[in-house]
């Protein structure tokens, strides 16, 4: 490293020599600062002013995503970002927008690029703030908190120079407005203001913060999601003020319906999570659960917000009892309790009555076009669109002198007739289907119905029945917003507001129900809960804590744009949680027997091992240390290699937690020539030179099975025909390869401290990673799934 050149470069940015030398000790920081300065010099020349240098140093020291360095330096060098406030906003923007490309227009707006605040604007803002607090100033006089003036003026002029605002506040306080208003100080103005009330306030704030954490639906969840939802709440309408939402359609009945709605709900915020019970929830649903339940929870603080879990059970062909149970289990596993569990089928009678009313109002008709005729972008208009109302009523449900002719009475085969609504949706789809014929018994209503409502018909009306205030949907449902408003208004019923947010996807993943079934059928995975999938049941089985999934959703944020994240970002959240919650144990995947020929005791020693080495207050467990121990085969080499620090000839190694060091004395080989056993001697660690490394080990261990998981797919987007022309099934990591998605270690050994572990219990196996007990475990043998590796390379110490 060219230290003199770098030192001169850093001091030229305005850093003191000591600060520059300290910076050079940090390789990552100095590299980033050097790159930033070099790029800035291409624009500014060799001389960089101190203010710009300070910003460059702030950028280099605080930027975590190095991909954005060049982008941000260009803004600093061109003076488009010229204040610390702008830099902080820019860093926050790139942190919360990790995906390419960056929307430069949005970025510049959020960072105040091009915004000029004049001294006159600052003067007017400060003067306006003083006038706002006129009476409070008169009452409190010189005890008034002048910092309030500074804060409000800064809030009004976000991108103004803080020093200029402070100067203006000081000037108006001491020279002009305030002095003129209050006059000279009197004796009472010189008395100290009591601080008791402040102390009480701080205590109240602490208790309130404690309540948010402890009584939140998700224990231990990062508060950033709540803060984001609080921000979204400012954009959302208040209950009963649906009409203030852009695009909301009003009718002459709207205000009366909203008044009735408020009388029923009392101004309560109501959301719902409405999954279809035809598959298992996946990681994308976790965001929806957090958003719907989280927003209702946030609103509980003000008006007792609630969230329904409503099963959209309108397609009996694909619904199974196990999916209802699994969905409910996953919602509660994530830490949420539904206000009420409801079903679309609860409302079948009401939905049917409204369908009849829709026909009577001339807004729906019975159609005989086949399904294949309705597919595509430009299907032919229905020749039955103008069918007489009485004829549609007869064909839909009514019994007449001619007998039962309707769909409701089973007079049509599947596909021969549908009920369609008369509207055109945003995506150009014309006259969506409201009811279709299906002769499949329903899991809750049995054979009562042979016609079932569609999503387009059911969704908004169920929201209306439950008086949902905020119908939160992923972005793909935006095309159905017009039908949502249209249908409620066509029937003159309460119309909620649909809000859309961006869907959450992951790279290297397939979450489609149909495609997961294909994976199961092909034998690529075992079932919906195979730990290589990203269904919530699979993540739970793999050992992902629910807190980690909720934290991941919080980090992704409440965005409008669809978000596709890298799996390692989710895994980082998992490590953060497990590092504090998974007790330590020791396990060996490829055992190599080691016999200690001079073992220091006549019988095994009990070794006290901390559950959490960084915090011994969390307790200890004991493991036996006997003459025979087992180490990882990779922790021994007969020939010492450069950089290798573990056991080898002439290189002793420490055994973790024992206080002993072992030294190789003999290598025992089997008939095939492979190393079968090592004979070593031991000594106290403090009785000689400290070894270069300490390795994990087990003694008198339990035999267990360990399943090691890698990515199921080789490419980021296995469903993309351009990236994977052969289809997602051709993209599986091949069995037996170095990166096979599953490797089963049958003869692994684990220390006996885990003997009583139950399914889903989690541990950190030292130097190997985080592991969770699999439900396949039985009394004779434990089975562990590797949840994630450690942050460090497990092959290095």
């Amino acid at each position: 490293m060219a230290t003199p050149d770098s030192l001169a470069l850093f001091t030229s940015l305005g850093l003191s020599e000591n600060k520059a030398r300290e910076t050079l000790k940090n390789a990552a920081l100095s590299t980033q600062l050097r790159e930033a300065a070099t790029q800035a010099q291409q624009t500014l020349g060799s001389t960089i002013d101190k203010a710009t240098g300070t910003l460059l140093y702030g950028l280099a020291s605080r930027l975590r995503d190095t991909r954005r360095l060049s982008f941000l330096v260009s803004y600093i060098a061109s003076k488009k970002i010229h204040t610390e406030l702008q830099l902080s906003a820019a860093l926050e923007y790139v942190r919360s927008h990790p995906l390419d490309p960056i929307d430069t227009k949005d970025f510049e707006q959020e960072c105040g690029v091009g915004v000029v605040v004049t001294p006159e604007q600052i003067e007017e803002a400060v003067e306006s703030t003083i006038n706002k607090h006129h009476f409070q100033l008169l009452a409190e006089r010189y005890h008034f908190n002048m910092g309030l003036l500074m804060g409000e003026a800064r809030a009004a002029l976000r991108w103004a120079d803080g020093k200029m605002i402070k100067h203006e506040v000081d000037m108006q306080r001491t020279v002009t407005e305030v002095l003129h208003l209050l006059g000279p100080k009197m004796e009472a103005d010189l008395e100290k203001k009591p601080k008791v009330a402040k102390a009480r306030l701080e205590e109240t704030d602490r208790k309130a913060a404690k309540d948010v954490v402890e009584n939140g639906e998700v224990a231990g969840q990062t508060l950033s999601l709540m803060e984001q939802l609080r921000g979204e709440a400012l954009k959302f309408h208040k209950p009963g003020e649906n009409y203030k939402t852009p695009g909301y359609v009003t009718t002459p009945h709207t205000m009366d319906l909203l008044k009735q709605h408020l009388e029923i709900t009392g101004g309560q915020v109501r959301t719902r999570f409405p999954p279809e019970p035809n598959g298992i929830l996946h990681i994308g649903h976790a965001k929806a659960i957090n958003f719907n339940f989280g927003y209702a929870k946030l609103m509980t603080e003000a008006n007792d917000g609630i969230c329904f879990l409503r099963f959209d059970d309108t397609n009996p062909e694909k619904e199974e009892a196990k999916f209802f149970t699994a969905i409910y289990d996953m919602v509660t596993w994530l830490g949420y309790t539904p206000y009420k569990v409801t079903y679309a089928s609860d409302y079948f009678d009401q939905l049917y009555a409204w369908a009849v009313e829709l026909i009577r109002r001339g807004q729906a008709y019975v159609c005989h076009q086949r399904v294949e005729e309705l597919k595509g972008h430009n299907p032919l208009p229905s020749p039955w669109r103008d069918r007489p109302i009485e004829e549609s009523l007869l064909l839909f449900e009514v019994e007449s002198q001619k007998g039962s002719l309707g769909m409701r009475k089973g007079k049509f085969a599947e596909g021969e007739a549908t009920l369609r609504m008369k509207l055109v949706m945003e995506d150009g789809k014309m006259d969506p289907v409201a009811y279709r014929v299906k002769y499949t018994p329903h899991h809750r209503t049995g054979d009562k119905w042979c016609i079932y409502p569609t999503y387009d018909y059911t969704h908004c009306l169920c929201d209306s029945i439950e008086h949902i205030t905020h119908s939160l949907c992923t972005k793909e449902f935006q095309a159905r917003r017009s039908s949502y408003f249209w249908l409620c208004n066509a029937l003159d019923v309460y119309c909620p507001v649909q809000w859309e947010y961006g869907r959450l996807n992951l790279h290297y993943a397939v979450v489609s129900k149909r495609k997961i079934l294909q994976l199961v059928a092909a034998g690529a995975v075992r079932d919906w809960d195979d730990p290589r999938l990203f269904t919530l049941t699979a993540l739970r089985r793999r050992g992902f804590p629910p807190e980690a999934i909720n934290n991941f959703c919080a980090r992704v944020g409440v965005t409008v744009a669809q978000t596709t994240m890298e799996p390692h970002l989710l895994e980082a959240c998992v490590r953060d949680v497990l590092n504090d919650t998974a007790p330590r144990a020791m396990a060996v995947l490829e055992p190599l027997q080691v016999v200690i020929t001079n073992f220091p005791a006549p019988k095994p020693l009990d070794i006290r091992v901390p559950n959490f080495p960084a915090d011994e207050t969390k307790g200890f467990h004991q493991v036996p240390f006997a003459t025979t121990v087992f180490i990882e085969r990779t922790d021994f080499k007969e020939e010492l290699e450069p950089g290798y620090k573990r056991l080898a000839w002439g290189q002793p190694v420490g055994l973790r937690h024992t206080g002993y060091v072992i030294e190789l004395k003999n290598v025992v080989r089997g008939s095939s020539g492979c190393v079968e056993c090592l004979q070593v001697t031991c000594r106290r660690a403090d009785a000689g030179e400290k070894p270069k490394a300490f390795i994990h080990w087990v003694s008198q261990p339990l035999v267990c099975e360990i399943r090691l998981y890698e990515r199921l797919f080789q490419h980021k987007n296995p469903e993309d025909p351009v990236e994977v022309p052969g289809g997602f099934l051709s993209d599986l990591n091949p069995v037996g390869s170095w990166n096979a998605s599953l490797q089963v270690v049958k003869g692994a050994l684990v220390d006996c401290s885990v003997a009583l572990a139950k399914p889903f219990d989690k541990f950190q196996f030292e130097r190997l990673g985080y592991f969770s007990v699999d439900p396949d475990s039985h009394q004779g043998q434990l089975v562990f799934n590797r949840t994630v590796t450690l942050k460090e390379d497990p092959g290095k110490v």
Side-chain angles (χ1 to χ4, degrees):
M1 181 173 66
T3 303
D5 290 344
S6 297
L7 185 65
L9 176 63
F10 292 173
T11 53
S12 73
L13 298 178
L15 273 65
S16 66
E17 186 171 333
N18 286 340
K19 185 69 173 178
R21 291 187 184 280
E22 283 297 314
T23 300
L24 285 169
K25 293 179 182 178
N26 185 328
L29 172 58
S30 56
T31 298
Q32 195 148 281
L33 182 58
R34 193 181 301 111
E35 290 179 6
T38 302
Q39 181 183 334
Q41 286 178 334
Q42 294 174 4
T43 301
L44 300 171
S46 58
T47 303
I48 297 177
D49 61 273
K50 185 174 181 180
T52 302
T54 301
L55 290 176
L56 292 173
Y57 181 82
L59 171 63
S61 60
R62 292 157 60 191
L63 181 65
R64 294 293 173 263
D65 187 350
T66 55
R67 297 176 304 148
R68 306 302 186 200
L69 182 66
S70 178
F71 175 76
L72 294 177
V73 169
S74 66
Y75 274 86
I76 293 174
S78 62
K79 306 296 183 180
K80 292 180 179 179
I81 290 178
H82 54 84
T83 68
E84 169 61 28
L85 194 63
Q86 286 182 299
L87 176 60
S88 295
L91 289 167
E92 174 59 25
Y93 188 93
V94 297
R95 184 199 67 78
S96 58
H97 294 73
L99 302 179
D100 290 323
I102 285 181
D103 185 337
T104 54
K105 184 178 180 181
D106 185 50
F107 170 81
E108 291 181 356
Q109 182 177 341
E110 290 297 312
C111 299
V113 173
V115 176
V116 177
V117 181
T118 65
E120 291 77 16
Q121 288 176 303
I122 294 174
E123 182 180 354
E124 288 175 9
V126 173
E127 186 176 336
S128 174
T129 304
I130 291 174
N131 292 336
K132 176 182 174 182
H133 295 282
H134 177 88
F135 295 106
Q136 191 177 352
L137 273 164
L138 289 175
E140 297 183 18
R141 294 182 57 77
Y142 288 97
H143 285 147
F144 178 79
N145 179 12
M146 296 297 176
L148 185 64
L149 303 179
M150 177 79 176
E152 291 194 7
R154 290 205 67 166
L157 299 172
R158 181 183 176 189
W159 304 114
D161 187 307
K163 292 180 181 178
M164 292 180 64
I165 291 179
K166 186 177 186 304
H167 173 74
E168 184 64 30
V169 169
D170 289 343
M171 187 177 71
Q172 294 205 29
R173 178 178 65 184
T174 58
V175 180
T176 55
E177 298 294 332
V178 177
L179 184 60
H180 175 74
L181 183 67
L182 304 181
K185 287 186 178 180
M186 301 167 61
E187 187 174 345
D189 296 324
L190 302 176
E191 295 178 2
K192 289 186 177 180
K193 192 174 182 179
K195 297 183 179 179
V196 180
K198 180 182 178 183
R200 274 200 303 268
L201 254 177
E202 290 175 350
E203 181 64 21
T204 303
D205 289 343
R206 280 196 297 272
K207 287 182 178 178
K210 185 171 182 283
D211 287 343
V212 170
V213 174
E214 292 186 349
N215 300 328
E217 294 287 355
V218 184
Q221 179 178 342
T222 177
L223 295 181
S224 61
L225 177 63
M226 287 298 181
E227 292 304 317
Q228 292 176 63
L229 291 174
R230 200 181 300 277
E232 292 300 313
L234 298 177
K235 304 175 188 176
F236 288 164
H237 67 283
K238 294 179 181 178
E241 296 184 355
N242 305 25
Y243 58 90
K244 292 186 177 180
T245 305
Y248 187 80
V249 180
T250 61
T251 72
H253 303 285
T254 296
M255 300 313 294
D256 287 338
L257 291 168
L258 290 176
K259 183 179 178 181
Q260 294 170 19
H261 161 72
L262 286 175
E263 290 172 354
I264 292 169
T265 65
Q268 179 184 62
V269 165
R270 294 186 171 198
T271 62
R272 82 289 169 272
F273 174 58
E276 297 176 68
N278 58 6
I280 299 296
L281 302 183
H282 55 71
I283 187 65
H285 290 111
K287 179 179 178 180
I289 292 169
N290 272 275
F291 196 3
N292 280 282
F293 282 92
Y295 184 63
K297 173 60 187 174
L298 176 66
M299 293 297 101
T300 297
E301 301 168 14
N303 55 10
D304 193 28
I306 60 174
C307 183
F308 293 79
L309 170 59
R310 184 205 307 144
F311 290 107
D312 182 19
D313 56 341
T314 57
N315 189 353
E317 290 177 336
K318 298 182 179 180
E319 293 155 7
E320 295 182 41
K322 68 177 182 179
F323 295 138
F324 290 87
T325 303
I327 289 170
Y328 181 82
D329 287 347
M330 289 300 97
V331 170
T332 55
W333 177 65
L334 288 177
Y336 294 107
T337 302
Y339 165 73
K340 186 178 181 181
V341 177
T342 60
Y343 303 80
S345 56
D346 292 340
Y347 312 121
F348 274 180
D349 288 324
Q350 178 63 75
L351 294 172
Y352 178 72
W354 275 337
V356 173
E357 179 62 23
L358 206 60
I359 298 172
R360 288 195 171 118
R361 296 187 178 203
Q363 301 290 1
Y365 62 95
V366 173
C367 175
H368 304 288
Q369 281 183 297
R370 294 285 181 173
V371 174
E372 53 272 17
E373 296 179 73
L374 301 179
K375 290 182 178 178
H377 295 292
N378 296 298
L380 294 172
S382 172
W384 293 277
R385 196 172 199 268
D386 297 322
R387 166 174 264 157
I389 290 173
E390 290 302 321
E391 188 175 320
S392 283
L393 284 172
L394 189 66
L395 293 171
F396 187 60
E397 64 104 25
V398 174
E399 291 190 44
S400 69
Q401 293 179 350
K402 298 179 182 179
S404 299
L405 301 176
M407 294 167 57
R408 169 75 176 87
K409 301 300 180 181
K411 297 301 179 181
F412 291 101
E414 292 188 12
E416 283 187 348
T418 58
L419 182 70
R420 296 176 68 181
M421 299 175 282
K422 292 184 179 180
L423 78 148
V424 180
M425 301 169 73
E426 283 98 333
D427 59 2
K429 182 179 178 183
M430 188 172 182
D431 294 357
V433 173
Y435 270 85
R436 72 277 203 214
V437 177
K438 286 184 180 292
Y439 290 105
T440 304
H442 192 274
H443 71 105
R444 298 185 75 237
T445 62
D447 294 326
K448 179 180 177 180
W449 300 92
C450 64
I451 57 171
Y452 292 96
T454 61
Y455 176 90
D456 286 325
Y457 179 78
T458 307
H459 181 63
C460 62
L461 295 180
C462 286
D463 282 353
S464 179
I465 292 169
E466 292 175 352
H467 283 272
I468 300 303
T469 56
H470 299 76
S471 181
L472 307 175
C473 307
T474 46
K475 192 71 174 177
E476 63 263 32
F477 292 101
Q478 185 170 5
R480 288 168 157 146
R481 191 194 292 182
S482 62
S483 68
Y484 189 104
F485 292 156
W486 177 89
L487 185 51
C488 289
N489 290 335
L491 290 167
D492 289 325
V493 297
Y494 161 71
C495 183
V497 178
Q498 177 174 304
W499 292 91
E500 298 88 15
Y501 58 91
R503 182 173 179 166
L504 169 60
N505 295 318
L506 280 181
H507 287 307
Y508 301 100
V510 163
V511 295
S512 157
K513 299 163 190 173
R514 179 176 57 84
K515 291 180 179 177
I516 289 177
L517 287 174
Q518 288 180 255
L519 289 169
V520 174
V525 297
R526 294 172 60 183
D527 207 339
W528 293 89
D529 65 347
D530 189 295
R532 290 165 289 181
L533 297 174
F534 284 92
T535 62
L536 294 185
T537 51
L539 296 179
R540 178 178 64 172
R541 185 167 188 169
R542 185 160 173 169
F544 282 34
E547 300 90 342
I549 294 173
N550 293 331
N551 292 345
F552 174 65
C553 292
R555 290 188 186 183
V556 170
V558 182
T559 58
V560 176
Q562 179 171 298
T563 308
T564 303
M565 306 298 289
E566 295 286 350
H568 70 79
L569 299 175
L570 173 58
E571 292 172 358
C573 294
V574 172
R575 291 189 186 95
D576 287 344
V577 173
L578 292 181
N579 185 54
D580 295 331
T581 58
R584 276 43 171 180
M586 291 188 286
V588 174
L589 300 185
E590 296 182 76
L592 176 60
Q593 186 182 55
V594 176
V595 177
I596 303 173
T597 58
N598 64 336
F599 192 73
K603 61 180 182 179
L605 301 174
D606 287 330
I607 302 299
R608 200 161 173 255
V609 179
N611 294 328
F612 296 86
D615 184 1
E616 295 188 354
T617 63
K618 292 185 177 181
F620 294 79
H621 61 273
Q622 286 190 336
V623 296
F625 176 41
T627 303
T628 300
V629 300
F630 297 89
I631 66 172
E632 289 286 357
R633 191 167 288 274
T634 54
D635 282 339
F636 165 69
K637 284 186 183 295
E638 289 192 80
E639 295 183 11
L640 188 61
E641 298 176 356
Y644 188 76
K645 298 180 180 180
R646 285 157 280 159
L647 185 62
W649 287 109
Q651 182 165 280
V653 71
L655 297 180
R656 292 174 70 88
H657 308 298
T658 64
Y660 285 92
V661 174
I662 58 173
E663 185 171 0
L664 183 64
K665 294 299 180 183
N666 187 35
V667 176
V668 180
R669 300 178 185 277
S671 57
S672 64
C674 295
V675 176
E676 286 190 350
C677 177
L678 305 178
Q679 294 176 345
V680 302
T681 57
C682 72
R683 63 169 172 83
R684 294 290 304 175
D686 54 7
E689 185 179 350
K690 181 180 178 182
K692 293 181 179 180
F694 286 81
I695 62 174
H696 65 281
W697 55 276
V698 292
S699 186
Q700 299 180 353
L702 305 172
V703 179
C704 67
E705 177 181 310
I706 291 182
R707 299 169 181 172
L708 305 175
Y709 296 99
E710 296 293 345
R711 289 172 178 159
L712 184 60
F713 297 102
Q714 300 178 62
H715 292 85
K716 275 190 174 185
N717 304 294
E719 297 174 274
D720 185 346
V722 175
E723 196 169 337
V724 186
F728 72 99
L729 288 175
S730 71
D731 196 44
L732 296 168
N733 270 323
V735 176
S737 67
W738 67 271
N739 63 339
S741 62
L742 171 61
Q743 294 181 356
V744 179
V745 182
K746 292 284 188 181
L749 304 177
V750 62
D751 73 51
C752 58
S753 68
V754 305
L756 300 179
K758 304 180 298 298
F760 305 115
D761 283 352
K762 299 165 182 61
F763 301 92
Q764 184 197 105
F765 291 166
E766 296 193 32
R767 299 176 64 233
L768 296 180
Y770 294 99
F771 292 77
S772 178
V773 181
D774 189 87
D776 284 346
S777 299
H778 51 81
Q779 191 171 5
Q781 186 180 60
L782 288 169
V783 178
F784 292 93
N785 295 320
R786 183 172 67 188
T787 306
V788 288
T789 59
L790 299 175
K791 290 183 181 178
E792 298 80 12
D793 182 346
K796 297 179 181 179
V797 177

